[in-house]
Amino acid sequence: MEKPLFLYALCGSQRKASTNRRLLDALRDNAPAGVVVEICELIGELPIFNPDREGENTPAIVEEFAAKIRAANGIIVACPEYAHGLPGGLKNVLDWLVSRDEVPFKPAMIAHASHRGDFALEQLTEVLKTMSLRLVDEAFLKISLLGKTDGGQSDVLAEAVKSGLLVSVLVKFCAAINRVGV
């Protein structure tokens, strides 16, 4: 039996009612057979990045986070836009990875739960490319949940499941991962 592909998802929003988290939950819950999506629960717990705390001084929780990134076949990133920029917590976890060897050339996809947020998407793309992650453009997912009621969000996600959109995006992402043999 083949080992399942492991996708590690980073949610830039730490809100309990985050639309980006809800989108990641839907991806996790509808992943095709042979694909496991785990959503990172450590983002809000990592200390603020400080280069003096790298190497032998790296906090244990950062090592735990980095081990998950290393084990992942691919990374899914979903984030809102805060004041035309990336949320601080997401940028912080990415900063912890900059000088490490877990992310170069690792496949990544962006999932976005809003009809707006182009500034954050541009910044996120730039940061991920600068970190040498391999963005899989054909797996970009944008579903507008922002501003909808809980029921409205459920309806939009149910339609995305019914139409096969969520599965097809994950299939495209996994196909790109398999092409490079990560």
Side-chain angles (χ1 to χ4, degrees):
M1 186 167 151
E2 231 178 272
K3 183 179 174 186
L5 281 179
F6 172 53
L7 307 179
Y8 198 51
L10 306 178
C11 186
S13 174
Q14 297 301 291
R15 291 183 65 207
K16 289 181 185 191
S18 164
T19 54
N20 283 283
R21 175 60 189 244
R22 192 158 188 188
L23 180 55
L24 291 175
D25 287 340
L27 285 169
R28 179 198 59 214
D29 296 345
N30 292 282
V35 178
V36 173
V37 177
E38 180 181 330
I39 301 170
C40 177
E41 301 291 349
L42 302 173
I43 291 175
E45 306 302 318
L46 269 65
I48 294 173
F49 174 71
N50 178 344
D52 292 339
R53 296 189 71 193
E54 290 184 294
E56 63 187 36
N57 297 321
T58 302
I61 194 163
V62 173
E63 294 291 359
E64 179 184 347
F65 170 69
K68 288 285 191 177
I69 295 290
R70 180 180 302 285
N73 298 101
I75 306 296
I76 303 170
V77 184
C79 83
E81 180 174 288
Y82 291 172
H84 283 186
L86 294 177
L90 178 65
K91 181 64 169 77
N92 185 55
V93 298
L94 295 174
D95 287 345
W96 275 110
L97 296 169
V98 167
S99 65
R100 300 177 63 97
D101 67 354
E102 287 85 4
V103 295
F105 312 110
K106 190 168 290 275
M109 70 171 271
I110 295 174
H112 192 65
S114 178
H115 56 282
R116 60 183 190 212
D118 290 341
F119 290 108
L121 288 172
E122 288 174 24
Q123 291 173 21
L124 179 60
T125 299
E126 179 63 23
V127 168
L128 296 177
K129 285 182 177 180
T130 299
M131 293 174 65
S132 298
L133 281 132
R134 188 173 56 83
L135 279 178
V136 178
D137 294 330
E138 64 268 25
F140 176 75
L141 175 63
K142 189 172 189 177
I143 295 180
S144 184
L145 299 177
L146 184 67
K148 292 182 173 43
T149 64
D150 184 60
Q153 291 176 23
S154 294
D155 291 345
V156 169
L157 290 170
E159 179 56 36
V161 170
K162 182 180 173 187
S163 72
L165 177 62
L166 296 183
V167 170
S168 71
V169 166
L170 286 173
V171 166
K172 288 175 188 174
F173 187 46
C174 292
I177 291 169
N178 287 330
R179 277 195 302 272
V180 294
V182 172

